[in-house]
Amino acid sequence: MTGLRVTPTRLHGRDRLHVSLPDGRSVAWYDRQSGRVSLLYDAYEDDVRTALAPYVTGTVTVGPPPVPTPADLARLSLHPDDDLAPNRPGEALHLALDRAGRPAPRLFRRDPRPAELAAHQRVGDALDRLDGAGWRVLHSVPLPGAARIDHLAIGPGGVLVVRTVAARGHRVRFADPLVAVGRAEPLPRLRWLRRDAERAAHALATAVHPVLAVAEAARWDLPPGPPDVRVLRDGEIPSLAALGGVLKPVDIDALYATARDRRTWLAA
């Protein structure tokens, strides 16, 4: 049989090649990380192998799709309105800027939201690139009231709540719990971060560690400590991939399935 189409996709942090018939029906998919071809119809095995041959190197395993895990079943039963996985970094800022349209001229002060959004995207993109090390990431997790967790990372090193600081060429000074960016008034960002981590720990019933991610700082004055908060430049986020020994893959999947459900956070 000829005419099978191979389409690259990315689902839940995994790169796949989907093989489909000309009418769009799926017959198989190849998971790059596991090196496995999940075959939906045995009759197409030879054709699927031929279609995937230009894209696959080494030995692959071919068989029926794996049995869904409890996390997979939870994801499939989740209503789209309750699923936080599609949230973009800085989702609330995206919505606010979309509603505002073209900004009105400002005589004395520039709108800080575009710079804040750029910082969220920079940090969020760096966190998303940890997926190859087994991390799962959510962005802009809504809490009761108007509060949000900027980023939630779940991986081998545990659960991290990440708060973004938009520095953009400014000097950043720390005096726990205050953080000052440039000449702006110091704000209790470390206190807010610790509170976010406490609320996440309550919602997920697990230990959560606070991380402050500073985007595009020209320089910073960081005294020793605070010992309970990890402070990183955005360029240092890839170092989180080295953390491990806390959560197993099955635990990561279970916590991620819980965290992506909006209802989990209603009592946080």
Side-chain angles (χ1 to χ4, degrees):
M1 179 182 177
T2 59
L4 291 182
R5 295 181 298 180
V6 178
T7 306
T9 63
R10 187 171 183 81
L11 183 66
H12 309 307
R14 303 184 72 87
D15 292 316
R16 291 180 174 179
L17 295 173
H18 276 263
V19 184
S20 59
L21 298 171
D23 63 6
R25 285 181 297 157
S26 294
V27 294
W29 66 83
Y30 170 64
D31 187 286
R32 292 183 185 274
Q33 279 91 333
S34 65
R36 176 184 174 84
V37 176
S38 295
L39 192 66
L40 297 176
Y41 303 100
D42 292 341
Y44 293 113
E45 179 174 349
D46 291 339
D47 299 304
V48 167
R49 288 181 180 270
T50 300
L52 288 174
Y55 309 95
V56 176
T57 58
T59 304
V60 299
T61 303
V62 179
V67 176
T69 64
D72 293 328
L73 296 175
R75 172 178 55 82
L76 293 171
S77 65
L78 188 60
H79 191 281
D81 289 345
D82 292 323
D83 190 0
L84 300 178
N87 280 10
R88 300 164 291 181
E91 184 70 33
L93 289 168
H94 273 289
L95 298 175
L97 290 170
D98 288 346
R99 284 195 298 265
R102 185 175 180 178
R106 292 175 180 262
L107 297 177
F108 303 106
R109 187 172 183 269
R110 180 182 300 175
D111 187 349
R113 292 177 299 180
E116 291 173 4
L117 177 57
H120 279 268
Q121 292 171 325
R122 190 177 182 90
V123 171
D125 289 346
L127 289 168
D128 285 339
R129 287 192 287 271
L130 297 175
D131 61 359
W135 289 80
R136 310 291 291 276
V137 179
L138 294 168
H139 306 288
S140 198
V141 176
L143 298 173
R148 284 179 180 263
I149 292 173
D150 291 349
H151 316 277
L152 183 77
I154 304 171
V159 182
L160 310 177
V161 158
V162 183
R163 176 174 280 266
T164 299
V165 177
R168 204 168 196 177
H170 294 292
R171 175 186 178 188
V172 181
R173 290 168 291 126
F174 296 84
D176 192 11
L178 302 177
V179 179
V181 178
R183 297 181 180 179
E185 179 182 357
L187 297 174
R189 300 177 191 269
L190 294 175
R191 181 188 304 151
W192 296 340
L193 172 59
R194 292 183 178 106
R195 184 176 60 197
D196 290 346
E198 290 172 0
R199 298 178 76 175
H202 175 73
L204 299 175
T206 191
V208 176
H209 305 284
V211 176
L212 193 72
V214 183
E216 299 182 284
R219 54 172 290 197
W220 67 14
D221 299 327
L222 181 63
D228 62 319
V229 175
R230 184 186 296 266
V231 182
L232 299 174
R233 298 177 188 268
D234 55 288
E236 296 173 324
I237 289 175
S239 67
L240 296 175
L243 300 179
V246 179
L247 295 178
K248 298 177 181 179
V250 64
D251 300 321
I252 295 169
D253 289 342
L255 280 169
Y256 181 76
T258 300
R260 68 185 297 177
D261 189 339
R262 185 186 303 273
R263 295 166 297 182
T264 295
W265 304 96
L266 294 179

